[in-house]
Amino acid sequence: TAFTDKFIDNYHNNFKPGLESSNFALIERRFYWIHRELQAYDTASGGLTEVFPKQWRIDQVLIEAFILATKEWLLKTLEEIHKTVDVKLLLGALDKTVLFEKEICERFASDIHFQMAHE
């Protein structure tokens, strides 16, 4: 959708190659960014559910778009640095990614249980 495309364009603009924020060592900035964006959407003008029907699950759509864009960036980055990356840096990025995944699972846990119960 146009809304999602604008959201991802904003993401790409904040993490353009060459910017400090696009550095692999600073992967957690991407996770902070999505948290801030979702918080802003949750609270601005009554939140996403005031603008979009709740059953559209726009926050989940945005998270999915963020995850796909981040995956694309990560695969490209790892392909470029795989021979020179510091193992501690790689493990640190993995830890931050796992923590982010847990936080997202907690955020949507009730929605996932609801969806599974009604399928």
Side-chain angles (χ1 to χ4, degrees), residues 32-93:
Y32 296 146
W33 180 85
I34 189 67
H35 283 297
R36 282 191 312 271
E37 291 296 310
L38 287 177
Q39 186 175 33
Y41 285 121
D42 287 344
T43 57
S45 302
L48 286 171
T49 57
E50 295 295 320
V51 178
F52 299 103
K54 188 174 182 172
Q55 63 269 25
W56 288 10
R57 296 182 176 92
I58 295 298
D59 54 347
Q60 290 181 19
V61 171
L62 296 178
I63 284 287
E64 182 178 359
F66 167 81
I67 289 169
L68 292 174
T70 302
K71 175 185 173 186
E72 182 181 305
W73 164 79
L74 190 55
L75 290 173
K76 182 180 176 188
T77 300
L78 288 174
E79 187 176 299
E80 293 171 1
I81 66 171
H82 75 278
K83 292 183 181 179
T84 59
V85 68
D86 177 35
V87 174
K88 287 183 182 181
L89 178 64
L90 189 58
L91 290 174

Side-chain angles (χ1 to χ4, degrees), residues 95-110:
D95 285 342
K96 293 168 187 168
T97 303
V98 169
L99 179 61
F100 169 74
E101 289 175 353
K102 287 180 184 178
E103 291 168 356
I104 293 304
C105 286
E106 288 172 11
R107 178 182 173 116
F108 297 114
S110 62

